[in-house]
Amino acid sequence: YFMAIGERIRFFRNLRGMTQKYLGMRLGFPERSADVRLAQYETGTRTPKADLTEGLAYILDVSPQALDVPDIDTYIGLAHTMFTLEDVYGLKVKEADGKACLQVEVKPGDRRAEELSKILKAWREQAAKLEAGEITKEDYDKWRYNYPKYDTTQRWVKVPSKRIDDLFQR
């Protein structure tokens, strides 16, 4: 799904207050075509290769993975993303105080569910700090958009690849 990365590029570019021309020139495109090239990536006409994605991430001060997201731009795509998280990582839909919530069901020896649980706990820790006024929204966003760079709760582990056949290997 090509629009996802383009929309993320636009989101972070706008968040950083950059124009398409400025970002394109920072990436090394000629001034006369820098904005056109960025527009092509943002609209999905072109898909950035890995090295360009790395450059974008560096300039936008985010992890490359923050730019490369699954198809969550439609409710159906989002639903199927969550269903996959259930199948692969033990994410379950539960009810708490009359509201639907998501919870990781960790079974003994289920490393994927354990790792997702650790990520969610680290995320909750940062969200709680934000809610308590211990950190700013900017600090919180820096933590989220650069994850796991600033995560101090755990050693970083390798995330399984996105190959479909890897989803079913245990």
Side-chain angles (χ1 to χ4, degrees):
Y1 181 68
F2 297 123
M3 288 299 288
I5 193 168
E7 289 170 5
R8 298 300 283 174
I9 293 167
R10 181 181 310 113
F11 172 81
F12 287 115
R13 179 180 59 76
N14 288 331
L15 187 69
R16 303 292 184 238
M18 298 178 185
T19 63
Q20 288 178 330
K21 183 175 280 301
Y22 175 81
L23 181 54
M25 288 173 61
R26 287 278 315 269
L27 286 165
F29 298 128
E31 183 177 359
R32 69 183 182 283
S33 62
D35 54 341
V36 173
R37 287 292 296 273
L38 247 292
Q40 290 173 334
Y41 294 121
E42 289 184 3
T43 61
T45 306
R46 295 178 75 137
T47 303
K49 296 202 180 340
D51 60 337
L52 186 64
T53 300
E54 292 278 338
L56 283 161
Y58 177 78
I59 295 165
L60 294 169
D61 191 28
V62 298
S63 163
Q65 290 80 8
L67 295 175
D68 188 19
V69 294
D71 176 12
I72 59 169
D73 299 320
T74 67
Y75 294 118
I76 302 298
L78 178 60
H80 283 280
T81 299
M82 289 188 287
F83 301 154
T84 300
L85 291 172
E86 178 179 30
D87 293 340
V88 179
Y89 294 97
L91 191 68
K92 301 291 181 195
V93 62
K94 302 283 184 175
E95 188 172 317
D97 299 322
K99 296 179 182 175
C101 65
L102 297 173
Q103 177 181 338
V104 182
E105 202 169 273
V106 182
K107 294 180 178 141
D110 187 348
R111 185 157 182 256
R112 289 178 172 183
E114 289 172 7
E115 294 302 330
L116 178 58
S117 183
K118 288 178 187 176
I119 291 167
L120 291 177
K121 286 177 184 174
W123 181 14
R124 179 63 202 137
E125 182 180 292
Q126 295 302 311
K129 286 180 183 179
L130 177 64
E131 291 163 10
E134 296 173 22
I135 61 173
T136 65
K137 176 74 163 86
E138 291 78 22
D139 291 335
Y140 177 70
D141 286 344
K142 185 174 186 175
W143 185 90
R144 292 189 308 147
Y145 299 148
N146 285 283
Y147 186 84
K149 185 176 180 181
Y150 300 110
D151 183 26
T152 58
T153 63
Q154 63 175 319
R155 63 169 175 70
W156 179 238
V157 295
K158 187 176 185 291
V159 173
S161 78
K162 291 183 180 178
R163 290 183 42 203
I164 193 74
D165 55 333
D166 286 354
L167 295 177
F168 303 104
Q169 293 178 2
R170 294 282 168 178

mmCIF file with all atom_site columns, all heavy atoms in Angstrom, residues 106-119:
data_model
loop_
_atom_site.group_PDB
_atom_site.id
_atom_site.type_symbol
_atom_site.label_atom_id
_atom_site.label_alt_id
_atom_site.label_comp_id
_atom_site.label_asym_id
_atom_site.label_entity_id
_atom_site.label_seq_id
_atom_site.pdbx_PDB_ins_code
_atom_site.Cartn_x
_atom_site.Cartn_y
_atom_site.Cartn_z
_atom_site.occupancy
_atom_site.B_iso_or_equiv
_atom_site.pdbx_formal_charge
_atom_site.auth_seq_id
_atom_site.auth_comp_id
_atom_site.auth_asym_id
_atom_site.auth_atom_id
_atom_site.pdbx_PDB_model_num
ATOM 1   N N   . VAL A 1 106 ? -0.492 -13.045 27.257 1.00 0.00 ? 106 VAL A N   1
ATOM 2   C CA  . VAL A 1 106 ? 0.816  -13.698 27.213 1.00 0.00 ? 106 VAL A CA  1
ATOM 3   C C   . VAL A 1 106 ? 0.705  -15.097 27.785 1.00 0.00 ? 106 VAL A C   1
ATOM 4   O O   . VAL A 1 106 ? 0.348  -15.280 28.941 1.00 0.00 ? 106 VAL A O   1
ATOM 5   C CB  . VAL A 1 106 ? 1.874  -12.888 27.998 1.00 0.00 ? 106 VAL A CB  1
ATOM 6   C CG1 . VAL A 1 106 ? 3.230  -13.567 27.906 1.00 0.00 ? 106 VAL A CG1 1
ATOM 7   C CG2 . VAL A 1 106 ? 1.957  -11.461 27.481 1.00 0.00 ? 106 VAL A CG2 1
ATOM 8   N N   . LYS A 1 107 ? 1.007  -16.075 26.951 1.00 0.00 ? 107 LYS A N   1
ATOM 9   C CA  . LYS A 1 107 ? 1.044  -17.473 27.389 1.00 0.00 ? 107 LYS A CA  1
ATOM 10  C C   . LYS A 1 107 ? 2.507  -17.859 27.601 1.00 0.00 ? 107 LYS A C   1
ATOM 11  O O   . LYS A 1 107 ? 3.391  -17.337 26.925 1.00 0.00 ? 107 LYS A O   1
ATOM 12  C CB  . LYS A 1 107 ? 0.398  -18.369 26.325 1.00 0.00 ? 107 LYS A CB  1
ATOM 13  C CG  . LYS A 1 107 ? -1.085 -18.096 26.162 1.00 0.00 ? 107 LYS A CG  1
ATOM 14  C CD  . LYS A 1 107 ? -1.697 -18.984 25.116 1.00 0.00 ? 107 LYS A CD  1
ATOM 15  C CE  . LYS A 1 107 ? -3.195 -18.695 25.053 1.00 0.00 ? 107 LYS A CE  1
ATOM 16  N NZ  . LYS A 1 107 ? -3.721 -18.710 23.719 1.00 0.00 ? 107 LYS A NZ  1
ATOM 17  N N   . PRO A 1 108 ? 2.776  -18.769 28.524 1.00 0.00 ? 108 PRO A N   1
ATOM 18  C CA  . PRO A 1 108 ? 4.169  -19.171 28.774 1.00 0.00 ? 108 PRO A CA  1
ATOM 19  C C   . PRO A 1 108 ? 4.874  -19.592 27.481 1.00 0.00 ? 108 PRO A C   1
ATOM 20  O O   . PRO A 1 108 ? 4.333  -20.349 26.683 1.00 0.00 ? 108 PRO A O   1
ATOM 21  C CB  . PRO A 1 108 ? 4.025  -20.362 29.729 1.00 0.00 ? 108 PRO A CB  1
ATOM 22  C CG  . PRO A 1 108 ? 2.693  -20.148 30.400 1.00 0.00 ? 108 PRO A CG  1
ATOM 23  C CD  . PRO A 1 108 ? 1.824  -19.494 29.371 1.00 0.00 ? 108 PRO A CD  1
ATOM 24  N N   . GLY A 1 109 ? 6.048  -19.018 27.276 1.00 0.00 ? 109 GLY A N   1
ATOM 25  C CA  . GLY A 1 109 ? 6.849  -19.355 26.110 1.00 0.00 ? 109 GLY A CA  1
ATOM 26  C C   . GLY A 1 109 ? 6.482  -18.598 24.838 1.00 0.00 ? 109 GLY A C   1
ATOM 27  O O   . GLY A 1 109 ? 7.122  -18.779 23.809 1.00 0.00 ? 109 GLY A O   1
ATOM 28  N N   . ASP A 1 110 ? 5.461  -17.749 24.894 1.00 0.00 ? 110 ASP A N   1
ATOM 29  C CA  . ASP A 1 110 ? 5.057  -16.983 23.714 1.00 0.00 ? 110 ASP A CA  1
ATOM 30  C C   . ASP A 1 110 ? 5.864  -15.686 23.667 1.00 0.00 ? 110 ASP A C   1
ATOM 31  O O   . ASP A 1 110 ? 5.459  -14.658 24.200 1.00 0.00 ? 110 ASP A O   1
ATOM 32  C CB  . ASP A 1 110 ? 3.553  -16.687 23.740 1.00 0.00 ? 110 ASP A CB  1
ATOM 33  C CG  . ASP A 1 110 ? 3.057  -16.034 22.457 1.00 0.00 ? 110 ASP A CG  1
ATOM 34  O OD1 . ASP A 1 110 ? 3.893  -15.594 21.629 1.00 0.00 ? 110 ASP A OD1 1
ATOM 35  O OD2 . ASP A 1 110 ? 1.825  -15.942 22.296 1.00 0.00 ? 110 ASP A OD2 1
ATOM 36  N N   . ARG A 1 111 ? 7.028  -15.759 23.058 1.00 0.00 ? 111 ARG A N   1
ATOM 37  C CA  . ARG A 1 111 ? 7.965  -14.631 23.037 1.00 0.00 ? 111 ARG A CA  1
ATOM 38  C C   . ARG A 1 111 ? 7.376  -13.412 22.347 1.00 0.00 ? 111 ARG A C   1
ATOM 39  O O   . ARG A 1 111 ? 7.590  -12.283 22.774 1.00 0.00 ? 111 ARG A O   1
ATOM 40  C CB  . ARG A 1 111 ? 9.265  -15.061 22.353 1.00 0.00 ? 111 ARG A CB  1
ATOM 41  C CG  . ARG A 1 111 ? 10.316 -13.979 22.416 1.00 0.00 ? 111 ARG A CG  1
ATOM 42  C CD  . ARG A 1 111 ? 11.710 -14.558 22.261 1.00 0.00 ? 111 ARG A CD  1
ATOM 43  N NE  . ARG A 1 111 ? 12.664 -13.468 22.383 1.00 0.00 ? 111 ARG A NE  1
ATOM 44  C CZ  . ARG A 1 111 ? 13.292 -12.939 21.344 1.00 0.00 ? 111 ARG A CZ  1
ATOM 45  N NH1 . ARG A 1 111 ? 13.104 -13.407 20.141 1.00 0.00 ? 111 ARG A NH1 1
ATOM 46  N NH2 . ARG A 1 111 ? 14.143 -11.949 21.518 1.00 0.00 ? 111 ARG A NH2 1
ATOM 47  N N   . ARG A 1 112 ? 6.628  -13.612 21.264 1.00 0.00 ? 112 ARG A N   1
ATOM 48  C CA  . ARG A 1 112 ? 6.052  -12.477 20.535 1.00 0.00 ? 112 ARG A CA  1
ATOM 49  C C   . ARG A 1 112 ? 5.082  -11.702 21.414 1.00 0.00 ? 112 ARG A C   1
ATOM 50  O O   . ARG A 1 112 ? 5.115  -10.480 21.469 1.00 0.00 ? 112 ARG A O   1
ATOM 51  C CB  . ARG A 1 112 ? 5.360  -12.959 19.263 1.00 0.00 ? 112 ARG A CB  1
ATOM 52  C CG  . ARG A 1 112 ? 6.332  -13.435 18.211 1.00 0.00 ? 112 ARG A CG  1
ATOM 53  C CD  . ARG A 1 112 ? 5.602  -13.934 17.006 1.00 0.00 ? 112 ARG A CD  1
ATOM 54  N NE  . ARG A 1 112 ? 6.538  -14.216 15.928 1.00 0.00 ? 112 ARG A NE  1
ATOM 55  C CZ  . ARG A 1 112 ? 6.187  -14.615 14.738 1.00 0.00 ? 112 ARG A CZ  1
ATOM 56  N NH1 . ARG A 1 112 ? 4.918  -14.798 14.438 1.00 0.00 ? 112 ARG A NH1 1
ATOM 57  N NH2 . ARG A 1 112 ? 7.093  -14.840 13.811 1.00 0.00 ? 112 ARG A NH2 1
ATOM 58  N N   . ALA A 1 113 ? 4.210  -12.410 22.123 1.00 0.00 ? 113 ALA A N   1
ATOM 59  C CA  . ALA A 1 113 ? 3.259  -11.748 23.019 1.00 0.00 ? 113 ALA A CA  1
ATOM 60  C C   . ALA A 1 113 ? 4.001  -11.061 24.170 1.00 0.00 ? 113 ALA A C   1
ATOM 61  O O   . ALA A 1 113 ? 3.635  -9.950  24.566 1.00 0.00 ? 113 ALA A O   1
ATOM 62  C CB  . ALA A 1 113 ? 2.240  -12.745 23.547 1.00 0.00 ? 113 ALA A CB  1
ATOM 63  N N   . GLU A 1 114 ? 5.045  -11.689 24.670 1.00 0.00 ? 114 GLU A N   1
ATOM 64  C CA  . GLU A 1 114 ? 5.850  -11.088 25.740 1.00 0.00 ? 114 GLU A CA  1
ATOM 65  C C   . GLU A 1 114 ? 6.463  -9.772  25.279 1.00 0.00 ? 114 GLU A C   1
ATOM 66  O O   . GLU A 1 114 ? 6.443  -8.784  26.015 1.00 0.00 ? 114 GLU A O   1
ATOM 67  C CB  . GLU A 1 114 ? 6.962  -12.049 26.182 1.00 0.00 ? 114 GLU A CB  1
ATOM 68  C CG  . GLU A 1 114 ? 6.483  -13.255 26.957 1.00 0.00 ? 114 GLU A CG  1
ATOM 69  C CD  . GLU A 1 114 ? 7.597  -14.272 27.198 1.00 0.00 ? 114 GLU A CD  1
ATOM 70  O OE1 . GLU A 1 114 ? 8.774  -13.994 26.881 1.00 0.00 ? 114 GLU A OE1 1
ATOM 71  O OE2 . GLU A 1 114 ? 7.272  -15.354 27.710 1.00 0.00 ? 114 GLU A OE2 1
ATOM 72  N N   . GLU A 1 115 ? 7.019  -9.777  24.073 1.00 0.00 ? 115 GLU A N   1
ATOM 73  C CA  . GLU A 1 115 ? 7.659  -8.562  23.555 1.00 0.00 ? 115 GLU A CA  1
ATOM 74  C C   . GLU A 1 115 ? 6.626  -7.459  23.302 1.00 0.00 ? 115 GLU A C   1
ATOM 75  O O   . GLU A 1 115 ? 6.879  -6.296  23.612 1.00 0.00 ? 115 GLU A O   1
ATOM 76  C CB  . GLU A 1 115 ? 8.459  -8.855  22.285 1.00 0.00 ? 115 GLU A CB  1
ATOM 77  C CG  . GLU A 1 115 ? 9.659  -9.760  22.516 1.00 0.00 ? 115 GLU A CG  1
ATOM 78  C CD  . GLU A 1 115 ? 10.658 -9.220  23.533 1.00 0.00 ? 115 GLU A CD  1
ATOM 79  O OE1 . GLU A 1 115 ? 10.796 -7.987  23.664 1.00 0.00 ? 115 GLU A OE1 1
ATOM 80  O OE2 . GLU A 1 115 ? 11.295 -10.046 24.204 1.00 0.00 ? 115 GLU A OE2 1
ATOM 81  N N   . LEU A 1 116 ? 5.461  -7.807  22.748 1.00 0.00 ? 116 LEU A N   1
ATOM 82  C CA  . LEU A 1 116 ? 4.419  -6.804  22.537 1.00 0.00 ? 116 LEU A CA  1
ATOM 83  C C   . LEU A 1 116 ? 3.970  -6.232  23.877 1.00 0.00 ? 116 LEU A C   1
ATOM 84  O O   . LEU A 1 116 ? 3.775  -5.021  24.017 1.00 0.00 ? 116 LEU A O   1
ATOM 85  C CB  . LEU A 1 116 ? 3.227  -7.385  21.777 1.00 0.00 ? 116 LEU A CB  1
ATOM 86  C CG  . LEU A 1 116 ? 2.064  -6.405  21.544 1.00 0.00 ? 116 LEU A CG  1
ATOM 87  C CD1 . LEU A 1 116 ? 2.521  -5.161  20.781 1.00 0.00 ? 116 LEU A CD1 1
ATOM 88  C CD2 . LEU A 1 116 ? 0.929  -7.103  20.792 1.00 0.00 ? 116 LEU A CD2 1
ATOM 89  N N   . SER A 1 117 ? 3.839  -7.084  24.873 1.00 0.00 ? 117 SER A N   1
ATOM 90  C CA  . SER A 1 117 ? 3.455  -6.636  26.200 1.00 0.00 ? 117 SER A CA  1
ATOM 91  C C   . SER A 1 117 ? 4.473  -5.643  26.757 1.00 0.00 ? 117 SER A C   1
ATOM 92  O O   . SER A 1 117 ? 4.107  -4.614  27.334 1.00 0.00 ? 117 SER A O   1
ATOM 93  C CB  . SER A 1 117 ? 3.312  -7.832  27.139 1.00 0.00 ? 117 SER A CB  1
ATOM 94  O OG  . SER A 1 117 ? 2.875  -7.403  28.399 1.00 0.00 ? 117 SER A OG  1
ATOM 95  N N   . LYS A 1 118 ? 5.757  -5.919  26.572 1.00 0.00 ? 118 LYS A N   1
ATOM 96  C CA  . LYS A 1 118 ? 6.814  -5.005  27.032 1.00 0.00 ? 118 LYS A CA  1
ATOM 97  C C   . LYS A 1 118 ? 6.709  -3.653  26.317 1.00 0.00 ? 118 LYS A C   1
ATOM 98  O O   . LYS A 1 118 ? 6.879  -2.610  26.938 1.00 0.00 ? 118 LYS A O   1
ATOM 99  C CB  . LYS A 1 118 ? 8.193  -5.621  26.802 1.00 0.00 ? 118 LYS A CB  1
ATOM 100 C CG  . LYS A 1 118 ? 8.525  -6.762  27.726 1.00 0.00 ? 118 LYS A CG  1
ATOM 101 C CD  . LYS A 1 118 ? 9.883  -7.337  27.375 1.00 0.00 ? 118 LYS A CD  1
ATOM 102 C CE  . LYS A 1 118 ? 10.186 -8.592  28.171 1.00 0.00 ? 118 LYS A CE  1
ATOM 103 N NZ  . LYS A 1 118 ? 11.461 -9.202  27.748 1.00 0.00 ? 118 LYS A NZ  1
ATOM 104 N N   . ILE A 1 119 ? 6.456  -3.692  25.020 1.00 0.00 ? 119 ILE A N   1
ATOM 105 C CA  . ILE A 1 119 ? 6.312  -2.448  24.249 1.00 0.00 ? 119 ILE A CA  1
ATOM 106 C C   . ILE A 1 119 ? 5.140  -1.633  24.779 1.00 0.00 ? 119 ILE A C   1
ATOM 107 O O   . ILE A 1 119 ? 5.250  -0.422  24.997 1.00 0.00 ? 119 ILE A O   1
ATOM 108 C CB  . ILE A 1 119 ? 6.140  -2.756  22.746 1.00 0.00 ? 119 ILE A CB  1
ATOM 109 C CG1 . ILE A 1 119 ? 7.439  -3.323  22.163 1.00 0.00 ? 119 ILE A CG1 1
ATOM 110 C CG2 . ILE A 1 119 ? 5.708  -1.504  21.973 1.00 0.00 ? 119 ILE A CG2 1
ATOM 111 C CD1 . ILE A 1 119 ? 7.280  -3.951  20.786 1.00 0.00 ? 119 ILE A CD1 1
#
